[in-house]
Amino acid sequence: ASRIILATDADPPGQALAEELARRLGKERCWRVKWPKKNETEFCKDANEVLMFLGPRALKEVIEGIHGDELGIPTGWKCMDGLYKVVPGELTIVTGVPNSGKSEWIDALLCNINNQCGWKFVLCSMENKVRDHARKLLEKHIKKPFFDARYGGSVERMSKDEFEEGKEWLNESFHLIRCEDDCLPSIDWVLNLAKAAVLRHGVRGLVIDPYNELDHQRPPNQTETEYVSQILTKIKRFAQHHSCHVWFVAHPRQLHNWTGAPPNMYDISGSAHFINKCDNGIVIHRNRDPDAGPVDVVQVCMKKVRNKVIGQIGDAFLTYDRITGEYKEADEAIVAKVVKQQIRQKSTSYQR
């Protein structure tokens, strides 16, 4: 058989079964069914529920409409879908100067993908406390602030029922990799736990945030460039073998004479291999100049897209809602003002 359709249950055991079947049969000839939503919040578990809630025609359309994930999963922002889609088995490097919102943007992207496709994720986010990270994910999902604190303004906070529903969603959608003792986690330790999450829970995405929080003990005869190349090779092999998309956050080195413009992928501390070996390279940049436009404008710069089918190099502009942590598409007038200011900054830099 040249084309095998895996129509297992949508629960964790069913997804783990599909993952193991694909591994044994060959992932290059396997397509996995994504069961549609049966109501506003729940997905159908299996073919029987599609028949019961949506009818036989809907089930036929689900099976005949399978094309795999080779065309990518949309990000949830129309302005970005022409630039970047999420493909299983790929590695995306995300960078940006401190306090640009790299982790917040990735969290928002994961929430969008989960809402569209029901993907589950494993998070190795070492700069986030567990409770704070859970709160931020809940706020993005429920679209309400967790606290009656100052940042929430006059917006109604989430109710107890919404909070309980959100906790169930968190437990079903996200799995954490934490190193609670004093030692730093190694990349092998992280990937071994991520592999267990893929097989047990059907996880489709892994976030490693950030690179500089990993244990980087290397042999004396190995250069940092060789070491970074080895790490990225391990991550890419994991992503391809388990059909799992990996987001890897890496900070730029100290930027001297920085004018406020977005950094480049080659500015990442450590090695040029970060851009050379990744499938996708993204720079997250936040406007800090009130004269250039609203300071809640976030620029998502696609600096590298290896697969031309799913995107291209370019910029997308989003606005950040500080109350709920959501990202929304920016108005055209705001985008034009920010771009004009960046052109002026470049012109000033060249004159210097």
Side-chain angles (χ1 to χ4, degrees), residues 259-270:
T259 61
N264 199 290
M265 294 294 293
Y266 286 106
D267 292 323
I268 296 176
S269 176

Side-chain angles (χ1 to χ4, degrees), residues 64-288:
E64 291 181 347
I66 292 175
H67 54 72
D69 293 323
E70 64 269 15
L71 298 181
I73 306 297
T75 63
W77 301 292
K78 291 183 179 179
C79 64
M80 277 209 64
D81 287 340
L83 304 176
Y84 175 64
K85 289 187 176 69
V86 177
V87 177
E90 290 191 350
L91 167 63
T92 296
I93 299 292
V94 181
T95 190
V97 299
N99 201 30
S100 292
K102 300 181 289 296
S103 302
E104 286 274 358
W105 179 81
I106 290 176
D107 285 349
L109 175 64
L110 303 188
C111 289
N112 288 350
I113 295 173
N114 175 267
N115 184 53
Q116 292 176 108
C117 309
W119 272 29
K120 299 176 182 180
F121 305 94
V122 57
L123 308 177
C124 182
S125 185
M126 292 159 281
E127 290 185 335
N128 271 314
K129 297 178 181 178
V130 173
R131 288 189 178 185
D132 289 342
H133 202 177
R135 171 182 56 79
K136 288 187 282 188
L137 288 168
L138 280 175
E139 289 177 337
K140 288 176 175 60
H141 175 65
I142 300 174
K143 298 177 173 55
K144 291 182 180 180
F146 183 83
F147 292 114
D148 274 330
R150 183 175 59 182
Y151 78 91
S154 59
V155 178
E156 179 187 4
R157 68 179 298 194
M158 64 183 72
S159 66
K160 290 183 178 180
D161 290 340
E162 289 171 331
F163 173 60
E164 292 300 326
E165 178 273 327
K167 285 198 298 183
E168 291 184 11
W169 170 78
L170 276 177
N171 288 332
E172 293 174 359
S173 304
F174 297 95
H175 304 273
L176 299 181
I177 293 177
R178 302 291 296 183
C179 188
E180 300 296 350
D181 53 21
D182 293 335
C183 64
L184 293 174
S186 67
I187 191 62
D188 292 329
W189 182 81
V190 171
L191 294 180
N192 283 334
L193 290 179
K195 176 183 176 180
V198 169
L199 298 177
R200 290 180 183 178
H201 308 294
V203 162
R204 304 299 307 279
L206 164 65
V207 177
I208 305 174
D209 180 12
Y211 163 75
N212 63 345
E213 290 286 343
L214 294 172
D215 183 14
H216 297 305
Q217 294 183 10
R218 64 179 191 268
N221 61 343
Q222 187 180 43
T223 66
E224 185 175 16
T225 299
E226 293 170 337
Y227 172 73
V228 170
S229 176
Q230 184 182 61
I231 279 186
L232 295 177
T233 298
K234 289 180 178 180
I235 294 174
K236 291 189 69 173
R237 285 179 179 173
F238 167 85
Q240 293 167 3
H241 183 74
H242 296 287
S243 189
C244 183
H245 194 101
V246 180
W247 291 270
F248 194 16
V249 178
H251 295 309
R253 62 177 182 268
Q254 186 175 358
L255 301 176
H256 299 285
N257 302 319
W258 183 52
T259 61
N264 199 290
M265 294 294 293
Y266 286 106
D267 292 323
I268 296 176
S269 176
S271 170
H273 279 308
F274 279 109
I275 186 170
N276 295 338
K277 302 195 74 167
C278 70
D279 297 294
N280 309 288
I282 298 178
V283 175
I284 304 296
H285 184 67
R286 182 171 63 84
N287 176 41
R288 289 169 167 79

